[in-house]
mmCIF file of all heavy atoms in Angstrom:
data_model
loop_
_atom_site.group_PDB
_atom_site.id
_atom_site.type_symbol
_atom_site.label_atom_id
_atom_site.label_comp_id
_atom_site.label_asym_id
_atom_site.label_seq_id
_atom_site.Cartn_x
_atom_site.Cartn_y
_atom_site.Cartn_z
ATOM 1 N N LEU A 1 15.654 -6.662 18.976
ATOM 2 C CA LEU A 1 14.867 -7.833 19.371
ATOM 3 C C LEU A 1 15.652 -8.730 20.318
ATOM 4 O O LEU A 1 15.126 -9.192 21.335
ATOM 5 C CB LEU A 1 14.447 -8.604 18.125
ATOM 6 C CG LEU A 1 13.635 -9.882 18.364
ATOM 7 C CD1 LEU A 1 12.307 -9.538 19.026
ATOM 8 C CD2 LEU A 1 13.389 -10.610 17.039
ATOM 9 N N VAL A 2 16.918 -8.971 19.985
ATOM 10 C CA VAL A 2 17.752 -9.822 20.840
ATOM 11 C C VAL A 2 17.905 -9.209 22.237
ATOM 12 O O VAL A 2 17.784 -9.895 23.260
ATOM 13 C CB VAL A 2 19.136 -10.050 20.196
ATOM 14 C CG1 VAL A 2 20.092 -10.737 21.178
ATOM 15 C CG2 VAL A 2 18.999 -10.884 18.934
ATOM 16 N N TRP A 3 18.187 -7.916 22.265
ATOM 17 C CA TRP A 3 18.347 -7.235 23.556
ATOM 18 C C TRP A 3 17.049 -7.282 24.357
ATOM 19 O O TRP A 3 17.051 -7.565 25.563
ATOM 20 C CB TRP A 3 18.772 -5.789 23.333
ATOM 21 C CG TRP A 3 18.896 -4.997 24.608
ATOM 22 C CD1 TRP A 3 19.964 -4.939 25.444
ATOM 23 C CD2 TRP A 3 17.887 -4.153 25.192
ATOM 24 N NE1 TRP A 3 19.708 -4.124 26.511
ATOM 25 C CE2 TRP A 3 18.426 -3.623 26.390
ATOM 26 C CE3 TRP A 3 16.590 -3.801 24.822
ATOM 27 C CZ2 TRP A 3 17.719 -2.756 27.201
ATOM 28 C CZ3 TRP A 3 15.869 -2.945 25.640
ATOM 29 C CH2 TRP A 3 16.434 -2.428 26.815
ATOM 30 N N GLY A 4 15.935 -7.010 23.694
ATOM 31 C CA GLY A 4 14.650 -6.992 24.386
ATOM 32 C C GLY A 4 14.259 -8.363 24.916
ATOM 33 O O GLY A 4 13.791 -8.485 26.061
ATOM 34 N N VAL A 5 14.452 -9.390 24.096
ATOM 35 C CA VAL A 5 14.109 -10.748 24.537
ATOM 36 C C VAL A 5 14.987 -11.163 25.717
ATOM 37 O O VAL A 5 14.520 -11.770 26.684
ATOM 38 C CB VAL A 5 14.269 -11.738 23.369
ATOM 39 C CG1 VAL A 5 14.164 -13.183 23.869
ATOM 40 C CG2 VAL A 5 13.211 -11.478 22.305
ATOM 41 N N GLY A 6 16.274 -10.818 25.650
ATOM 42 C CA GLY A 6 17.172 -11.158 26.753
ATOM 43 C C GLY A 6 16.766 -10.503 28.049
ATOM 44 O O GLY A 6 16.760 -11.138 29.127
ATOM 45 N N LYS A 7 16.395 -9.239 27.959
ATOM 46 C CA LYS A 7 15.997 -8.495 29.168
ATOM 47 C C LYS A 7 14.707 -9.063 29.755
ATOM 48 O O LYS A 7 14.583 -9.249 30.976
ATOM 49 C CB LYS A 7 15.822 -7.016 28.818
ATOM 50 C CG LYS A 7 15.547 -6.137 30.038
ATOM 51 C CD LYS A 7 15.511 -4.677 29.641
ATOM 52 C CE LYS A 7 15.253 -3.781 30.847
ATOM 53 N NZ LYS A 7 16.309 -3.898 31.880
ATOM 54 N N ILE A 8 13.745 -9.331 28.880
ATOM 55 C CA ILE A 8 12.469 -9.885 29.350
ATOM 56 C C ILE A 8 12.674 -11.269 29.960
ATOM 57 O O ILE A 8 12.084 -11.609 30.998
ATOM 58 C CB ILE A 8 11.460 -9.953 28.182
ATOM 59 C CG1 ILE A 8 11.079 -8.533 27.726
ATOM 60 C CG2 ILE A 8 10.217 -10.733 28.574
ATOM 61 C CD1 ILE A 8 10.220 -8.493 26.487
ATOM 62 N N LEU A 9 13.505 -12.084 29.319
ATOM 63 C CA LEU A 9 13.754 -13.430 29.832
ATOM 64 C C LEU A 9 14.402 -13.393 31.210
ATOM 65 O O LEU A 9 14.050 -14.173 32.105
ATOM 66 C CB LEU A 9 14.646 -14.191 28.846
ATOM 67 C CG LEU A 9 14.976 -15.648 29.212
ATOM 68 C CD1 LEU A 9 13.688 -16.466 29.320
ATOM 69 C CD2 LEU A 9 15.915 -16.257 28.179
ATOM 70 N N TRP A 10 15.334 -12.482 31.379
ATOM 71 C CA TRP A 10 16.007 -12.360 32.682
ATOM 72 C C TRP A 10 15.015 -11.971 33.779
ATOM 73 O O TRP A 10 15.018 -12.551 34.865
ATOM 74 C CB TRP A 10 17.127 -11.330 32.576
ATOM 75 C CG TRP A 10 17.956 -11.215 33.818
ATOM 76 C CD1 TRP A 10 17.818 -10.332 34.847
ATOM 77 C CD2 TRP A 10 19.046 -12.060 34.179
ATOM 78 N NE1 TRP A 10 18.758 -10.540 35.817
ATOM 79 C CE2 TRP A 10 19.532 -11.596 35.436
ATOM 80 C CE3 TRP A 10 19.692 -13.137 33.556
ATOM 81 C CZ2 TRP A 10 20.609 -12.196 36.083
ATOM 82 C CZ3 TRP A 10 20.766 -13.729 34.202
ATOM 83 C CH2 TRP A 10 21.213 -13.262 35.448
ATOM 84 N N GLN A 11 14.162 -10.986 33.492
ATOM 85 C CA GLN A 11 13.158 -10.577 34.463
ATOM 86 C C GLN A 11 12.134 -11.684 34.713
ATOM 87 O O GLN A 11 11.640 -11.859 35.834
ATOM 88 C CB GLN A 11 12.448 -9.310 33.972
ATOM 89 C CG GLN A 11 13.363 -8.090 33.908
ATOM 90 C CD GLN A 11 12.651 -6.864 33.361
ATOM 91 O OE1 GLN A 11 11.573 -6.970 32.804
ATOM 92 N NE2 GLN A 11 13.281 -5.705 33.512
ATOM 93 N N PHE A 12 11.838 -12.426 33.675
ATOM 94 C CA PHE A 12 10.871 -13.513 33.787
ATOM 95 C C PHE A 12 11.400 -14.615 34.708
ATOM 96 O O PHE A 12 10.675 -15.159 35.542
ATOM 97 C CB PHE A 12 10.577 -14.066 32.399
ATOM 98 C CG PHE A 12 9.584 -15.191 32.384
ATOM 99 C CD1 PHE A 12 8.262 -14.975 32.739
ATOM 100 C CD2 PHE A 12 9.972 -16.475 32.023
ATOM 101 C CE1 PHE A 12 7.348 -16.008 32.723
ATOM 102 C CE2 PHE A 12 9.061 -17.512 32.004
ATOM 103 C CZ PHE A 12 7.741 -17.284 32.364
ATOM 104 N N LEU A 13 12.675 -14.930 34.584
ATOM 105 C CA LEU A 13 13.277 -15.947 35.436
ATOM 106 C C LEU A 13 13.301 -15.498 36.900
ATOM 107 O O LEU A 13 13.082 -16.306 37.821
ATOM 108 C CB LEU A 13 14.706 -16.260 34.959
ATOM 109 C CG LEU A 13 14.807 -16.964 33.591
ATOM 110 C CD1 LEU A 13 16.271 -17.110 33.182
ATOM 111 C CD2 LEU A 13 14.116 -18.320 33.629
ATOM 112 N N ASP A 14 13.559 -14.216 37.105
ATOM 113 C CA ASP A 14 13.513 -13.689 38.473
ATOM 114 C C ASP A 14 12.115 -13.809 39.066
ATOM 115 O O ASP A 14 11.932 -14.115 40.246
ATOM 116 C CB ASP A 14 13.961 -12.221 38.486
ATOM 117 C CG ASP A 14 15.468 -12.081 38.300
ATOM 118 O OD1 ASP A 14 16.192 -13.079 38.544
ATOM 119 O OD2 ASP A 14 15.917 -10.991 37.908
ATOM 120 N N PHE A 15 11.108 -13.570 38.199
ATOM 121 C CA PHE A 15 9.724 -13.659 38.660
ATOM 122 C C PHE A 15 9.343 -15.088 39.033
ATOM 123 O O PHE A 15 8.636 -15.329 40.029
ATOM 124 C CB PHE A 15 8.781 -13.124 37.580
ATOM 125 C CG PHE A 15 7.330 -13.405 37.842
ATOM 126 C CD1 PHE A 15 6.632 -12.697 38.812
ATOM 127 C CD2 PHE A 15 6.659 -14.395 37.125
ATOM 128 C CE1 PHE A 15 5.295 -12.965 39.055
ATOM 129 C CE2 PHE A 15 5.330 -14.658 37.369
ATOM 130 C CZ PHE A 15 4.647 -13.942 38.341
ATOM 131 N N LEU A 16 9.816 -16.050 38.252
ATOM 132 C CA LEU A 16 9.466 -17.447 38.510
ATOM 133 C C LEU A 16 9.983 -17.929 39.866
ATOM 134 O O LEU A 16 9.433 -18.855 40.461
ATOM 135 C CB LEU A 16 10.012 -18.351 37.396
ATOM 136 C CG LEU A 16 9.352 -18.210 36.016
ATOM 137 C CD1 LEU A 16 10.008 -19.150 35.023
ATOM 138 C CD2 LEU A 16 7.846 -18.491 36.108
ATOM 139 N N LYS A 17 11.038 -17.313 40.335
ATOM 140 C CA LYS A 17 11.605 -17.710 41.618
ATOM 141 C C LYS A 17 10.676 -17.372 42.782
ATOM 142 O O LYS A 17 10.809 -17.931 43.878
ATOM 143 C CB LYS A 17 12.946 -17.025 41.828
ATOM 144 C CG LYS A 17 14.017 -17.447 40.831
ATOM 145 C CD LYS A 17 15.305 -16.669 41.050
ATOM 146 C CE LYS A 17 16.370 -17.045 40.030
ATOM 147 N NZ LYS A 17 17.628 -16.265 40.202
ATOM 148 N N THR A 18 9.712 -16.461 42.531
ATOM 149 C CA THR A 18 8.836 -16.008 43.615
ATOM 150 C C THR A 18 7.514 -16.762 43.656
ATOM 151 O O THR A 18 6.693 -16.489 44.542
ATOM 152 C CB THR A 18 8.549 -14.501 43.450
ATOM 153 O OG1 THR A 18 7.820 -14.288 42.240
ATOM 154 C CG2 THR A 18 9.837 -13.699 43.402
ATOM 155 N N VAL A 19 7.240 -17.673 42.694
ATOM 156 C CA VAL A 19 5.964 -18.388 42.654
ATOM 157 C C VAL A 19 6.230 -19.885 42.849
ATOM 158 O O VAL A 19 7.365 -20.359 42.698
ATOM 159 C CB VAL A 19 5.223 -18.137 41.328
ATOM 160 C CG1 VAL A 19 4.924 -16.662 41.165
ATOM 161 C CG2 VAL A 19 6.045 -18.651 40.148
ATOM 162 N N ASN A 20 5.157 -20.650 43.125
ATOM 163 C CA ASN A 20 5.331 -22.090 43.342
ATOM 164 C C ASN A 20 5.524 -22.813 42.014
ATOM 165 O O ASN A 20 5.284 -22.260 40.939
ATOM 166 C CB ASN A 20 4.150 -22.676 44.124
ATOM 167 C CG ASN A 20 2.832 -22.516 43.342
ATOM 168 O OD1 ASN A 20 2.756 -22.881 42.174
ATOM 169 N ND2 ASN A 20 1.809 -21.988 44.014
ATOM 170 N N ALA A 21 5.904 -24.069 42.089
ATOM 171 C CA ALA A 21 6.301 -24.834 40.899
ATOM 172 C C ALA A 21 5.155 -25.039 39.919
ATOM 173 O O ALA A 21 5.335 -24.970 38.689
ATOM 174 C CB ALA A 21 6.873 -26.188 41.334
ATOM 175 N N GLN A 22 3.927 -25.299 40.423
ATOM 176 C CA GLN A 22 2.799 -25.561 39.529
ATOM 177 C C GLN A 22 2.447 -24.339 38.705
ATOM 178 O O GLN A 22 2.236 -24.417 37.491
ATOM 179 C CB GLN A 22 1.582 -26.015 40.349
ATOM 180 C CG GLN A 22 0.388 -26.392 39.470
ATOM 181 C CD GLN A 22 -0.785 -26.915 40.286
ATOM 182 O OE1 GLN A 22 -0.717 -26.979 41.518
ATOM 183 N NE2 GLN A 22 -1.851 -27.287 39.607
ATOM 184 N N ILE A 23 2.372 -23.204 39.365
ATOM 185 C CA ILE A 23 2.058 -21.965 38.644
ATOM 186 C C ILE A 23 3.179 -21.625 37.666
ATOM 187 O O ILE A 23 2.934 -21.190 36.530
ATOM 188 C CB ILE A 23 1.834 -20.810 39.642
ATOM 189 C CG1 ILE A 23 0.608 -21.101 40.521
ATOM 190 C CG2 ILE A 23 1.675 -19.491 38.896
ATOM 191 C CD1 ILE A 23 0.365 -20.044 41.587
ATOM 192 N N ALA A 24 4.403 -21.853 38.086
ATOM 193 C CA ALA A 24 5.538 -21.568 37.209
ATOM 194 C C ALA A 24 5.479 -22.407 35.945
ATOM 195 O O ALA A 24 5.766 -21.931 34.835
ATOM 196 C CB ALA A 24 6.842 -21.816 37.961
ATOM 197 N N ALA A 25 5.097 -23.693 36.079
ATOM 198 C CA ALA A 25 5.000 -24.578 34.909
ATOM 199 C C ALA A 25 3.939 -24.080 33.935
ATOM 200 O O ALA A 25 4.125 -24.107 32.707
ATOM 201 C CB ALA A 25 4.691 -26.005 35.366
ATOM 202 N N GLN A 26 2.799 -23.628 34.470
ATOM 203 C CA GLN A 26 1.727 -23.108 33.621
ATOM 204 C C GLN A 26 2.176 -21.840 32.897
ATOM 205 O O GLN A 26 1.891 -21.645 31.707
ATOM 206 C CB GLN A 26 0.481 -22.833 34.457
ATOM 207 C CG GLN A 26 -0.164 -24.088 35.034
ATOM 208 C CD GLN A 26 -1.348 -23.774 35.928
ATOM 209 O OE1 GLN A 26 -1.587 -22.624 36.284
ATOM 210 N NE2 GLN A 26 -2.085 -24.819 36.307
ATOM 211 N N ILE A 27 2.860 -20.991 33.626
ATOM 212 C CA ILE A 27 3.341 -19.744 33.016
ATOM 213 C C ILE A 27 4.349 -20.034 31.911
ATOM 214 O O ILE A 27 4.311 -19.428 30.828
ATOM 215 C CB ILE A 27 3.973 -18.837 34.089
ATOM 216 C CG1 ILE A 27 2.895 -18.362 35.075
ATOM 217 C CG2 ILE A 27 4.667 -17.647 33.438
ATOM 218 C CD1 ILE A 27 3.445 -17.549 36.225
ATOM 219 N N ILE A 28 5.246 -20.971 32.174
ATOM 220 C CA ILE A 28 6.257 -21.317 31.166
ATOM 221 C C ILE A 28 5.601 -21.877 29.903
ATOM 222 O O ILE A 28 5.975 -21.528 28.774
ATOM 223 C CB ILE A 28 7.255 -22.335 31.753
ATOM 224 C CG1 ILE A 28 8.102 -21.666 32.836
ATOM 225 C CG2 ILE A 28 8.153 -22.904 30.656
ATOM 226 C CD1 ILE A 28 9.037 -22.634 33.558
ATOM 227 N N GLY A 29 4.592 -22.750 30.082
ATOM 228 C CA GLY A 29 3.906 -23.318 28.928
ATOM 229 C C GLY A 29 3.216 -22.263 28.077
ATOM 230 O O GLY A 29 3.322 -22.249 26.849
ATOM 231 N N THR A 30 2.492 -21.360 28.743
ATOM 232 C CA THR A 30 1.794 -20.283 28.024
ATOM 233 C C THR A 30 2.776 -19.336 27.348
ATOM 234 O O THR A 30 2.593 -18.931 26.195
ATOM 235 C CB THR A 30 0.898 -19.491 28.991
ATOM 236 O OG1 THR A 30 -0.014 -20.390 29.617
ATOM 237 C CG2 THR A 30 0.134 -18.418 28.240
ATOM 238 N N SER A 31 3.834 -19.000 28.066
ATOM 239 C CA SER A 31 4.832 -18.077 27.516
ATOM 240 C C SER A 31 5.521 -18.672 26.290
ATOM 241 O O SER A 31 5.811 -17.974 25.321
ATOM 242 C CB SER A 31 5.872 -17.732 28.583
ATOM 243 O OG SER A 31 5.266 -17.121 29.702
ATOM 244 N N GLY A 32 5.777 -19.991 26.354
ATOM 245 C CA GLY A 32 6.412 -20.647 25.211
ATOM 246 C C GLY A 32 5.555 -20.561 23.969
ATOM 247 O O GLY A 32 6.056 -20.320 22.865
ATOM 248 N N THR A 33 4.248 -20.738 24.126
ATOM 249 C CA THR A 33 3.336 -20.644 22.979
ATOM 250 C C THR A 33 3.329 -19.241 22.390
ATOM 251 O O THR A 33 3.384 -19.054 21.168
ATOM 252 C CB THR A 33 1.912 -21.030 23.408
ATOM 253 O OG1 THR A 33 1.917 -22.362 23.947
ATOM 254 C CG2 THR A 33 0.959 -20.966 22.230
ATOM 255 N N VAL A 34 3.239 -18.244 23.293
ATOM 256 C CA VAL A 34 3.233 -16.852 22.832
ATOM 257 C C VAL A 34 4.547 -16.504 22.142
ATOM 258 O O VAL A 34 4.567 -15.868 21.080
ATOM 259 C CB VAL A 34 2.979 -15.901 24.018
ATOM 260 C CG1 VAL A 34 3.133 -14.449 23.571
ATOM 261 C CG2 VAL A 34 1.597 -16.141 24.593
ATOM 262 N N LEU A 35 5.665 -16.924 22.737
ATOM 263 C CA LEU A 35 6.977 -16.621 22.164
ATOM 264 C C LEU A 35 7.146 -17.250 20.787
ATOM 265 O O LEU A 35 7.674 -16.624 19.868
ATOM 266 C CB LEU A 35 8.081 -17.119 23.101
ATOM 267 C CG LEU A 35 9.523 -16.848 22.643
ATOM 268 C CD1 LEU A 35 9.754 -15.344 22.511
ATOM 269 C CD2 LEU A 35 10.508 -17.461 23.633
ATOM 270 N N ALA A 36 6.656 -18.492 20.649
ATOM 271 C CA ALA A 36 6.742 -19.159 19.346
ATOM 272 C C ALA A 36 5.954 -18.403 18.288
ATOM 273 O O ALA A 36 6.396 -18.251 17.132
ATOM 274 C CB ALA A 36 6.238 -20.595 19.462
ATOM 275 N N ALA A 37 4.779 -17.901 18.677
ATOM 276 C CA ALA A 37 3.956 -17.144 17.725
ATOM 277 C C ALA A 37 4.646 -15.842 17.324
ATOM 278 O O ALA A 37 4.635 -15.457 16.151
ATOM 279 C CB ALA A 37 2.594 -16.853 18.351
ATOM 280 N N VAL A 38 5.251 -15.161 18.305
ATOM 281 C CA VAL A 38 5.960 -13.913 18.019
ATOM 282 C C VAL A 38 7.140 -14.154 17.084
ATOM 283 O O VAL A 38 7.354 -13.411 16.114
ATOM 284 C CB VAL A 38 6.439 -13.254 19.329
ATOM 285 C CG1 VAL A 38 7.358 -12.067 19.022
ATOM 286 C CG2 VAL A 38 5.249 -12.794 20.158
ATOM 287 N N ILE A 39 7.898 -15.205 17.360
ATOM 288 C CA ILE A 39 9.052 -15.523 16.512
ATOM 289 C C ILE A 39 8.601 -15.833 15.088
ATOM 290 O O ILE A 39 9.233 -15.414 14.114
ATOM 291 C CB ILE A 39 9.835 -16.712 17.105
ATOM 292 C CG1 ILE A 39 10.502 -16.300 18.414
ATOM 293 C CG2 ILE A 39 10.875 -17.225 16.113
ATOM 294 C CD1 ILE A 39 11.218 -17.436 19.112
ATOM 295 N N ALA A 40 7.499 -16.576 14.959
ATOM 296 C CA ALA A 40 6.978 -16.913 13.627
ATOM 297 C C ALA A 40 6.600 -15.652 12.859
ATOM 298 O O ALA A 40 6.881 -15.531 11.661
ATOM 299 C CB ALA A 40 5.769 -17.837 13.758
ATOM 300 N N VAL A 41 5.967 -14.688 13.528
ATOM 301 C CA VAL A 41 5.578 -13.439 12.877
ATOM 302 C C VAL A 41 6.800 -12.637 12.452
ATOM 303 O O VAL A 41 6.876 -12.125 11.327
ATOM 304 C CB VAL A 41 4.683 -12.600 13.812
ATOM 305 C CG1 VAL A 41 4.451 -11.211 13.224
ATOM 306 C CG2 VAL A 41 3.352 -13.300 14.045
ATOM 307 N N VAL A 42 7.790 -12.537 13.342
ATOM 308 C CA VAL A 42 8.998 -11.771 13.036
ATOM 309 C C VAL A 42 9.755 -12.385 11.872
ATOM 310 O O VAL A 42 10.173 -11.690 10.938
ATOM 311 C CB VAL A 42 9.908 -11.680 14.285
ATOM 312 C CG1 VAL A 42 11.258 -11.057 13.909
ATOM 313 C CG2 VAL A 42 9.241 -10.855 15.359
ATOM 314 N N LEU A 43 9.932 -13.702 11.911
ATOM 315 C CA LEU A 43 10.632 -14.378 10.820
ATOM 316 C C LEU A 43 9.883 -14.236 9.499
ATOM 317 O O LEU A 43 10.493 -14.107 8.437
ATOM 318 C CB LEU A 43 10.827 -15.861 11.155
ATOM 319 C CG LEU A 43 11.801 -16.169 12.299
ATOM 320 C CD1 LEU A 43 11.872 -17.670 12.546
ATOM 321 C CD2 LEU A 43 13.191 -15.617 11.989
ATOM 322 N N GLY A 44 8.551 -14.254 9.589
ATOM 323 C CA GLY A 44 7.757 -14.055 8.375
ATOM 324 C C GLY A 44 7.968 -12.680 7.771
ATOM 325 O O GLY A 44 8.071 -12.534 6.552
#
């Protein structure tokens, strides 16, 4: 899980560099919600 999250996060940051700030903010907000839900399920 740690390795996978690290790899995805690295690729995600590279992707954000190619889009404008407004879209990046929306993506970050949505991703944070999804990530929180995934972490809650795993910890459960």
Side-chain angles (χ1 to χ4, degrees):
L1 179 63
V2 171
W3 177 84
V5 170
K7 186 175 181 61
I8 293 173
L9 182 60
W10 185 265
Q11 294 178 346
F12 180 66
L13 292 175
D14 286 340
F15 169 74
L16 291 179
K17 295 177 182 178
T18 64
V19 299
N20 62 51
Q22 184 177 1
I23 296 177
Q26 293 176 350
I27 293 176
I28 291 175
T30 303
S31 300
T33 302
V34 173
L35 181 61
V38 171
I39 292 176
V41 171
V42 172
L43 292 179

